[in-house]
Amino acid sequence: MKAGQLREVVLVGGGHSHVQVLEQFATQSPPGSRLTLVVDTPIAVYSGMVPGFVAGQYRQQELEIDVGRLAGLAGARLVVSKAVGVDAQERQILLEDGASVSYDIASFDIGSRLAGHDLPGVSQYSATTRPIGRFIEQVDQIIRKARDHDPATPFRVVVVGAGAGGIELAFTLQQRLQEETSTSVQMLILQNQTDILGGYADSLVRRVYRRSRERGIQIECNRKVAAVEPEAVVLAEGERISCQAVVWVTGPASHSIFKESGLPTDRLGFVRVRSTLQVEEHDELFATGDCAALIDHPQTPKAGVYAVRQGPFITHNIRALIVGRPLRIYRPQDNFLALLNLGDGKALGTKWGRSVEGRWVMKLKDWIDRRFMRRFQEPL
Ligand SMILES: Cc1cc2nc3c(=O)[nH]c(=O)nc-3n(C[C@H](O)[C@H](O)[C@H](O)COP(=O)(O)OP(=O)(O)OC[C@H]3O[C@@H](n4cnc5c(N)ncnc54)[C@H](O)[C@@H]3O)c2cc1C
């Protein structure tokens, strides 16, 4: 690079880490650089508040971050197009519309897709939580469908996946449907493993079973959904369960962009990063949040709290690489506070193997989520 030439810094994706990079660069932009943000959509949705939206506790605007506006405040060029490839040799981000963006330094915070998203009928006939912006619209469609449903027969919803997101969405959607429709609601959670909430505390699992019995939410484990039809799910062993709506909340799967671009990935296709969040063997590429696999900490959960914590590190390290300073080492925390909204004003919480519940837990969740969102929604 010639002396005096600006370094092209390209952020791909507007996830939990990159919104912090934009926030920080808006107040102090790194010298000698030009910033570009590439996003498939200029509005990012904060997933932590989505169950609250489903319950009717938040309006849509309250969960949205206008990353286009943040880019403007940071003096960044905004490119609204999906990144579909990386040419690491030529240092180009390849876009869906055929264009490309050159970079000296690029960073990925593009989140994940859903496991099983390519099974027959899943994307056509179920409400999928990725992309999450579309999920918001699909929730409204389910509520409209339930309002129009014949009250003489139950309105059955199948939630596929019993991780934290699936549990929250089953409880919050049931609450909303009961409040806003006159039909009787049957909520069924199907889980392909032996138990729910893998990796979470046993005491939390017991609390969820207790609350689901009280609320009439049915949970069935060892039930693998193989396909979705217009008014049914089909299990791997062939059984068909009829239902009026399906919510697909299975675990994270990688975007194909990394593997297809020949970048180093783990066996699931997530891009391998060192503790500086730099892609293995590519000092000029960073990745953060769900899309990255930490080489030194491969068990790190795919959860927004980790993407949030990585924000200050990715901000520092991009700046450090530009100005030639030492990069910081990111070490994920051993455990994190998970808070599950039950939709009825109460929430469950868990950390360090213990669990709690009540209205105060929901108040704490609301306070944490709103505090995070205020940083990006109010004038910087
Ligand atoms: C219902 C639900 C509730 C959840 N609640 C919690 C919770 O309470 N706490 C928690 O820790 N985790 C929670 N999670 C998990 C959490 O959503 C993810 O771990 C988190 O969103 C990951 O953040 P990220 O920054 O990696 O990516 P994301 O937040 O997914 O952001 C990715 C961004 O990249 C953009 N993008 C994607 N692909 C491209 C592309 N090819 N080109 C350009 N732009 C692209 C997207 O539009 C988006 O702006 C929840 C998940 C769900 C589904």
Coordinates of all heavy atoms in Angstrom, one line a residue, residues 72-146:
G72 N -24.1 5.8 9.0 CA -24.0 7.2 8.7 C -23.3 8.0 9.8 O -22.4 8.8 9.5
L73 N -23.6 7.7 11.1 CA -22.9 8.4 12.2 C -21.4 8.1 12.2 O -20.6 8.9 12.6 CB -23.6 8.0 13.5 CG -25.0 8.4 13.7 CD1 -25.7 7.8 14.9 CD2 -25.1 10.0 13.8
A74 N -21.1 6.8 11.8 CA -19.7 6.5 11.8 C -18.9 6.9 10.6 O -17.7 6.6 10.4 CB -19.5 4.9 12.0
G75 N -19.6 7.6 9.7 CA -19.0 8.1 8.4 C -18.7 6.9 7.5 O -17.9 7.0 6.6
A76 N -19.5 5.8 7.6 CA -19.2 4.6 6.8 C -20.1 4.7 5.5 O -21.2 5.1 5.6 CB -19.5 3.4 7.6
R77 N -19.6 4.1 4.5 CA -20.4 3.9 3.3 C -21.3 2.7 3.5 O -20.8 1.7 4.1 CB -19.5 3.6 2.1 CG -20.1 3.3 0.8 CD -19.1 3.4 -0.3 NE -18.1 2.3 -0.2 CZ -18.0 1.3 -1.1 NH1 -18.7 1.3 -2.2 NH2 -17.1 0.3 -1.0
L78 N -22.6 2.8 3.2 CA -23.5 1.7 3.4 C -23.8 0.9 2.1 O -24.2 1.5 1.1 CB -24.8 2.2 4.0 CG -25.9 1.1 4.2 CD1 -25.5 0.2 5.3 CD2 -27.2 1.8 4.5
V79 N -23.5 -0.4 2.1 CA -23.8 -1.2 0.9 C -24.9 -2.2 1.4 O -24.6 -3.1 2.2 CB -22.6 -1.9 0.4 CG1 -22.9 -2.9 -0.8 CG2 -21.5 -0.9 0.0
V80 N -26.1 -2.1 0.8 CA -27.1 -3.1 1.2 C -27.2 -4.2 0.2 O -27.8 -4.0 -0.9 CB -28.5 -2.4 1.4 CG1 -29.6 -3.4 1.8 CG2 -28.4 -1.3 2.4
S81 N -26.5 -5.3 0.5 CA -26.5 -6.4 -0.4 C -25.9 -7.6 0.4 O -25.1 -7.4 1.4 CB -25.6 -6.2 -1.6 OG -25.6 -7.3 -2.5
K82 N -26.3 -8.8 0.1 CA -25.8 -10.0 0.8 C -24.4 -10.4 0.3 O -24.2 -10.5 -0.9 CB -26.8 -11.1 0.6 CG -26.6 -12.3 1.4 CD -27.7 -13.3 1.1 CE -27.3 -14.6 1.8 NZ -28.3 -15.6 1.6
A83 N -23.5 -10.5 1.3 CA -22.2 -11.0 0.9 C -22.3 -12.5 0.7 O -22.9 -13.3 1.5 CB -21.2 -10.7 2.0
V84 N -21.8 -13.0 -0.5 CA -21.9 -14.4 -0.8 C -20.5 -15.1 -1.0 O -20.4 -16.3 -1.2 CB -22.7 -14.6 -2.1 CG1 -24.2 -14.2 -1.9 CG2 -22.2 -13.8 -3.3
G85 N -19.4 -14.3 -1.0 CA -18.1 -14.9 -1.1 C -17.0 -13.9 -0.7 O -17.2 -12.7 -0.5
V86 N -15.8 -14.5 -0.5 CA -14.6 -13.8 -0.1 C -13.5 -14.2 -1.0 O -13.3 -15.4 -1.1 CB -14.2 -14.0 1.3 CG1 -13.1 -13.1 1.7 CG2 -15.3 -13.9 2.3
D87 N -12.9 -13.3 -1.8 CA -11.7 -13.6 -2.5 C -10.5 -13.1 -1.7 O -10.2 -11.9 -1.8 CB -11.8 -13.0 -3.9 CG -10.6 -13.3 -4.8 OD1 -9.6 -13.7 -4.2 OD2 -10.7 -13.2 -6.0
A88 N -10.0 -14.0 -0.9 CA -8.9 -13.6 0.0 C -7.6 -13.2 -0.7 O -6.9 -12.4 -0.2 CB -8.7 -14.7 1.0
Q89 N -7.4 -13.8 -1.9 CA -6.2 -13.4 -2.7 C -6.3 -12.0 -3.1 O -5.4 -11.2 -2.9 CB -6.1 -14.3 -3.9 CG -5.8 -15.8 -3.6 CD -4.3 -15.9 -3.6 OE1 -3.6 -15.5 -4.5 NE2 -3.8 -16.5 -2.5
E90 N -7.4 -11.7 -3.8 CA -7.6 -10.3 -4.3 C -8.2 -9.3 -3.3 O -8.4 -8.2 -3.7 CB -8.6 -10.4 -5.6 CG -8.1 -11.3 -6.7 CD -6.8 -10.7 -7.3 OE1 -6.7 -9.4 -7.4 OE2 -5.9 -11.5 -7.7
R91 N -8.5 -9.8 -2.1 CA -9.1 -9.0 -1.1 C -10.4 -8.3 -1.5 O -10.5 -7.1 -1.6 CB -8.1 -8.0 -0.5 CG -6.9 -8.7 0.0 CD -6.1 -7.8 0.9 NE -5.1 -8.6 1.6 CZ -4.2 -8.1 2.4 NH1 -4.2 -6.8 2.7 NH2 -3.2 -8.9 2.9
Q92 N -11.3 -9.2 -1.9 CA -12.6 -8.7 -2.4 C -13.7 -9.4 -1.6 O -13.7 -10.6 -1.4 CB -12.8 -9.0 -3.9 CG -11.8 -8.5 -4.8 CD -12.1 -7.0 -5.2 OE1 -13.3 -6.7 -5.2 NE2 -11.1 -6.2 -5.5
I93 N -14.8 -8.7 -1.2 CA -16.0 -9.3 -0.7 C -17.0 -9.3 -1.9 O -17.2 -8.3 -2.5 CB -16.7 -8.4 0.4 CG1 -15.7 -8.2 1.6 CG2 -17.9 -9.1 0.9 CD1 -15.2 -9.4 2.3
L94 N -17.4 -10.5 -2.2 CA -18.3 -10.7 -3.4 C -19.8 -10.6 -2.9 O -20.2 -11.2 -1.9 CB -18.0 -12.0 -4.0 CG -16.6 -12.4 -4.2 CD1 -16.4 -13.8 -4.8 CD2 -15.9 -11.3 -5.1
L95 N -20.6 -9.9 -3.7 CA -21.9 -9.6 -3.3 C -22.9 -10.3 -4.2 O -22.6 -10.7 -5.3 CB -22.2 -8.1 -3.3 CG -21.3 -7.2 -2.5 CD1 -21.7 -5.7 -2.7 CD2 -21.3 -7.6 -1.1
E96 N -24.1 -10.6 -3.6 CA -25.2 -11.3 -4.3 C -25.5 -10.6 -5.7 O -25.9 -11.3 -6.6 CB -26.4 -11.4 -3.4 CG -27.5 -12.3 -3.9 CD -28.5 -12.4 -2.8 OE1 -28.9 -11.4 -2.2 OE2 -29.0 -13.5 -2.5
D97 N -25.5 -9.3 -5.7 CA -25.9 -8.6 -6.9 C -24.8 -8.6 -8.0 O -24.9 -7.9 -9.0 CB -26.4 -7.2 -6.6 CG -25.3 -6.3 -5.9 OD1 -24.1 -6.8 -5.9 OD2 -25.6 -5.3 -5.3
G98 N -23.7 -9.3 -7.7 CA -22.6 -9.4 -8.7 C -21.5 -8.4 -8.5 O -20.4 -8.5 -9.1
A99 N -21.7 -7.4 -7.7 CA -20.7 -6.4 -7.4 C -19.7 -6.9 -6.4 O -19.9 -8.0 -5.8 CB -21.3 -5.1 -6.9
S100 N -18.6 -6.2 -6.1 CA -17.7 -6.6 -5.1 C -17.1 -5.4 -4.4 O -17.2 -4.3 -4.9 CB -16.5 -7.4 -5.7 OG -15.9 -6.7 -6.7
V101 N -16.6 -5.6 -3.2 CA -16.1 -4.5 -2.4 C -14.7 -4.8 -2.0 O -14.4 -5.9 -1.4 CB -17.0 -4.3 -1.1 CG1 -16.4 -3.1 -0.3 CG2 -18.4 -4.0 -1.4
S102 N -13.7 -4.0 -2.3 CA -12.3 -4.2 -2.0 C -12.1 -3.9 -0.5 O -12.7 -3.0 0.1 CB -11.4 -3.3 -2.8 OG -11.6 -3.5 -4.1
Y103 N -11.1 -4.7 0.1 CA -10.8 -4.4 1.5 C -9.3 -4.6 1.7 O -8.6 -5.3 1.0 CB -11.5 -5.4 2.4 CG -11.2 -6.8 2.3 CD1 -10.1 -7.4 3.0 CD2 -11.9 -7.7 1.5 CE1 -9.7 -8.7 2.9 CE2 -11.5 -9.1 1.4 CZ -10.4 -9.5 2.1 OH -10.1 -10.9 2.0
D104 N -8.8 -3.8 2.7 CA -7.5 -4.1 3.3 C -7.7 -4.9 4.6 O -6.9 -5.8 4.9 CB -6.8 -2.8 3.6 CG -6.5 -2.0 2.3 OD1 -5.8 -2.6 1.4 OD2 -6.9 -0.9 2.2
I105 N -8.8 -4.5 5.3 CA -9.2 -5.3 6.5 C -10.7 -5.5 6.4 O -11.4 -4.6 6.1 CB -8.9 -4.4 7.7 CG1 -7.4 -4.2 7.9 CG2 -9.4 -5.1 9.0 CD1 -7.0 -3.1 8.9
A106 N -11.1 -6.7 6.7 CA -12.6 -7.0 6.7 C -12.9 -7.8 7.9 O -12.1 -8.5 8.5 CB -13.0 -7.8 5.4
S107 N -14.2 -7.6 8.4 CA -14.6 -8.3 9.6 C -16.0 -8.8 9.3 O -16.9 -8.1 8.7 CB -14.6 -7.3 10.7 OG -15.2 -7.9 11.9
F108 N -16.3 -10.1 9.8 CA -17.6 -10.7 9.6 C -18.3 -10.8 10.9 O -17.8 -11.3 11.9 CB -17.4 -12.1 9.0 CG -17.0 -12.1 7.5 CD1 -15.7 -11.9 7.2 CD2 -18.0 -12.2 6.6 CE1 -15.4 -11.9 5.8 CE2 -17.7 -12.1 5.2 CZ -16.4 -11.9 4.9
D109 N -19.6 -10.4 10.9 CA -20.5 -10.6 12.1 C -21.8 -10.9 11.5 O -22.7 -10.0 11.6 CB -20.5 -9.3 13.0 CG -21.3 -9.5 14.2 OD1 -21.7 -10.6 14.5 OD2 -21.6 -8.5 14.9
I110 N -21.9 -12.0 10.8 CA -23.2 -12.3 10.0 C -24.1 -13.4 10.7 O -25.0 -13.8 10.1 CB -22.8 -12.8 8.6 CG1 -21.9 -14.0 8.6 CG2 -22.2 -11.6 7.8 CD1 -21.7 -14.6 7.2
G111 N -23.8 -13.7 12.0 CA -24.6 -14.6 12.7 C -24.6 -16.0 12.1 O -23.7 -16.5 11.5
S112 N -25.8 -16.7 12.2 CA -25.8 -18.1 11.8 C -27.2 -18.4 11.1 O -28.0 -17.5 11.1 CB -25.7 -19.1 13.0 OG -26.6 -18.7 14.0
R113 N -27.3 -19.6 10.5 CA -28.5 -20.0 9.9 C -29.1 -21.0 10.9 O -28.6 -21.2 12.0 CB -28.3 -20.6 8.6 CG -27.9 -19.6 7.5 CD -28.0 -20.2 6.1 NE -27.1 -21.3 5.9 CZ -26.9 -21.9 4.8 NH1 -27.6 -21.5 3.7 NH2 -26.1 -22.9 4.6
L114 N -30.2 -21.7 10.5 CA -30.8 -22.7 11.4 C -30.5 -24.1 10.9 O -30.6 -24.4 9.7 CB -32.3 -22.5 11.4 CG -32.8 -21.3 12.2 CD1 -34.3 -21.1 11.9 CD2 -32.7 -21.6 13.7
A115 N -30.2 -25.0 11.9 CA -30.1 -26.4 11.5 C -31.4 -26.9 10.9 O -32.5 -26.5 11.4 CB -29.8 -27.2 12.8
G116 N -31.3 -27.6 9.9 CA -32.5 -28.2 9.2 C -33.2 -27.2 8.3 O -34.3 -27.6 7.8
H117 N -32.7 -26.1 8.1 CA -33.4 -25.1 7.3 C -33.7 -25.6 5.9 O -34.6 -25.1 5.2 CB -32.6 -23.7 7.2 CG -31.3 -23.8 6.5 ND1 -31.2 -23.6 5.2 CD2 -30.1 -24.2 7.0 CE1 -29.9 -23.8 4.9 NE2 -29.3 -24.2 5.9
D118 N -32.9 -26.5 5.4 CA -33.0 -27.0 4.0 C -33.9 -28.3 4.0 O -34.0 -28.9 2.9 CB -31.7 -27.2 3.4 CG -30.7 -28.0 4.3 OD1 -31.1 -28.3 5.4 OD2 -29.5 -28.2 3.9
L119 N -34.5 -28.7 5.1 CA -35.4 -29.9 5.0 C -36.6 -29.5 4.3 O -37.0 -28.4 4.2 CB -35.7 -30.3 6.5 CG -34.6 -31.0 7.3 CD1 -35.1 -31.2 8.7 CD2 -34.3 -32.4 6.7
P120 N -37.3 -30.5 3.7 CA -38.5 -30.2 2.8 C -39.5 -29.4 3.6 O -39.9 -29.8 4.7 CB -39.0 -31.6 2.5 CG -37.9 -32.5 2.6 CD -37.0 -32.0 3.7
G121 N -40.0 -28.3 3.0 CA -41.1 -27.6 3.5 C -40.7 -26.6 4.7 O -41.6 -25.8 5.1
V122 N -39.5 -26.7 5.2 CA -39.2 -25.9 6.4 C -39.3 -24.4 6.1 O -40.0 -23.6 6.8 CB -37.8 -26.2 7.0 CG1 -37.4 -25.2 8.1 CG2 -37.9 -27.6 7.6
S123 N -38.6 -23.9 5.0 CA -38.6 -22.5 4.7 C -40.0 -22.0 4.2 O -40.4 -20.9 4.4 CB -37.5 -22.1 3.8 OG -37.6 -22.9 2.6
Q124 N -40.8 -23.0 3.5 CA -42.1 -22.6 2.9 C -43.2 -22.5 4.0 O -44.0 -21.6 4.0 CB -42.5 -23.5 1.9 CG -41.7 -23.6 0.6 CD -40.7 -24.7 0.7 OE1 -40.0 -24.9 1.6 NE2 -40.6 -25.5 -0.4
Y125 N -43.2 -23.5 4.9 CA -44.4 -23.7 5.7 C -44.2 -23.4 7.2 O -45.1 -23.7 8.0 CB -45.0 -25.1 5.5 CG -45.2 -25.4 4.1 CD1 -44.7 -26.5 3.5 CD2 -46.0 -24.5 3.3 CE1 -44.9 -26.8 2.1 CE2 -46.3 -24.8 1.9 CZ -45.7 -25.9 1.4 OH -45.9 -26.2 0.0
S126 N -43.0 -23.0 7.6 CA -42.8 -22.7 9.0 C -42.3 -21.3 9.3 O -41.7 -20.7 8.4 CB -41.9 -23.8 9.7 OG -40.6 -23.7 9.2
A127 N -42.5 -20.8 10.4 CA -41.9 -19.5 10.8 C -40.5 -19.8 11.4 O -40.4 -20.5 12.4 CB -42.8 -18.9 11.9
T128 N -39.5 -19.4 10.7 CA -38.1 -19.8 11.1 C -37.5 -18.5 11.7 O -37.7 -17.4 11.3 CB -37.3 -20.2 9.8 OG1 -37.3 -19.1 8.9 CG2 -37.8 -21.4 9.2
T129 N -36.7 -18.8 12.8 CA -36.2 -17.6 13.5 C -34.9 -17.0 12.8 O -34.4 -16.1 13.4 CB -35.8 -18.1 15.0 OG1 -35.0 -19.3 14.9 CG2 -37.0 -18.3 15.8
R130 N -34.5 -17.5 11.7 CA -33.5 -16.9 10.9 C -34.0 -16.8 9.5 O -34.4 -17.8 8.9 CB -32.2 -17.7 10.9 CG -31.5 -17.7 12.2 CD -30.8 -16.5 12.6 NE -30.3 -16.5 14.0 CZ -30.4 -15.6 14.9 NH1 -31.1 -14.6 14.7 NH2 -29.9 -15.8 16.1
P131 N -33.9 -15.7 8.7 CA -33.5 -14.4 9.3 C -34.6 -13.9 10.2 O -35.8 -14.0 10.0 CB -33.4 -13.5 8.0 CG -34.1 -14.2 6.9 CD -34.2 -15.6 7.3
I132 N -34.1 -13.3 11.3 CA -35.0 -13.0 12.4 C -36.0 -11.8 12.1 O -37.1 -11.7 12.6 CB -34.2 -12.7 13.7 CG1 -35.1 -12.9 14.9 CG2 -33.6 -11.3 13.7 CD1 -34.4 -13.5 16.1
G133 N -35.6 -10.9 11.1 CA -36.5 -9.9 10.7 C -37.8 -10.4 10.0 O -38.9 -9.9 10.3
R134 N -37.6 -11.5 9.3 CA -38.8 -12.1 8.6 C -39.6 -12.9 9.6 O -40.8 -12.9 9.5 CB -38.3 -13.1 7.5 CG -39.4 -13.4 6.5 CD -38.9 -14.4 5.5 NE -38.6 -15.6 6.1 CZ -38.4 -16.8 5.5 NH1 -38.4 -16.8 4.2 NH2 -38.1 -17.9 6.1
F135 N -39.0 -13.4 10.7 CA -39.7 -14.1 11.7 C -40.8 -13.2 12.4 O -41.9 -13.6 12.7 CB -38.7 -14.6 12.8 CG -39.4 -15.4 13.9 CD1 -40.0 -16.6 13.7 CD2 -39.5 -14.9 15.2 CE1 -40.7 -17.3 14.7 CE2 -40.1 -15.5 16.2 CZ -40.7 -16.8 16.0
I136 N -40.4 -11.9 12.6 CA -41.3 -10.9 13.2 C -42.6 -10.9 12.4 O -43.7 -10.8 12.9 CB -40.6 -9.6 13.2 CG1 -39.3 -9.6 14.0 CG2 -41.5 -8.4 13.6 CD1 -39.5 -9.7 15.4
E137 N -42.5 -10.8 11.0 CA -43.6 -10.8 10.2 C -44.4 -12.1 10.3 O -45.7 -12.1 10.3 CB -43.2 -10.5 8.7 CG -42.7 -9.1 8.5 CD -41.8 -9.1 7.3 OE1 -41.9 -9.9 6.4 OE2 -40.9 -8.2 7.2
Q138 N -43.7 -13.2 10.3 CA -44.4 -14.5 10.4 C -45.2 -14.7 11.7 O -46.3 -15.3 11.7 CB -43.4 -15.6 10.2 CG -42.8 -15.6 8.8 CD -41.6 -16.6 8.7 OE1 -40.8 -16.7 9.6 NE2 -41.5 -17.3 7.6
V139 N -44.7 -14.1 12.8 CA -45.5 -14.1 14.0 C -46.8 -13.5 13.9 O -47.9 -14.0 14.3 CB -44.6 -13.5 15.2 CG1 -45.5 -13.3 16.4 CG2 -43.4 -14.3 15.5
D140 N -46.8 -12.3 13.2 CA -48.1 -11.6 13.0 C -49.0 -12.4 12.1 O -50.2 -12.4 12.4 CB -47.8 -10.3 12.3 CG -47.3 -9.2 13.2 OD1 -47.5 -9.4 14.4 OD2 -46.6 -8.3 12.8
Q141 N -48.5 -13.2 11.2 CA -49.3 -14.0 10.3 C -50.0 -15.1 11.1 O -51.1 -15.5 11.0 CB -48.5 -14.7 9.2 CG -48.2 -13.7 8.1 CD -47.1 -14.2 7.2 OE1 -46.7 -15.4 7.2 NE2 -46.5 -13.3 6.4
I142 N -49.2 -15.7 12.1 CA -49.7 -16.8 12.9 C -50.9 -16.2 13.8 O -51.9 -16.8 13.9 CB -48.6 -17.4 13.8 CG1 -47.6 -18.1 13.0 CG2 -49.2 -18.3 14.9 CD1 -46.4 -18.7 13.8
I143 N -50.7 -15.0 14.3 CA -51.7 -14.5 15.2 C -53.0 -14.2 14.4 O -54.1 -14.5 14.8 CB -51.2 -13.2 15.9 CG1 -50.2 -13.7 17.0 CG2 -52.3 -12.4 16.6 CD1 -49.2 -12.7 17.4
R144 N -52.8 -13.7 13.1 CA -54.0 -13.4 12.3 C -54.7 -14.7 12.0 O -55.9 -14.8 12.0 CB -53.5 -12.7 11.0 CG -53.4 -11.2 11.1 CD -53.4 -10.5 9.8 NE -52.4 -10.9 8.9 CZ -51.1 -10.4 8.9 NH1 -50.8 -9.5 9.8 NH2 -50.2 -10.9 8.1
K145 N -53.9 -15.8 11.7 CA -54.5 -17.1 11.3 C -55.3 -17.6 12.5 O -56.4 -18.1 12.4 CB -53.4 -18.0 10.9 CG -53.9 -19.3 10.4 CD -52.7 -20.2 9.8 CE -53.3 -21.5 9.3 NZ -52.3 -22.4 8.9
A146 N -54.8 -17.4 13.7 CA -55.4 -17.9 14.9 C -56.7 -17.1 15.2 O -57.7 -17.7 15.6 CB -54.5 -17.8 16.1

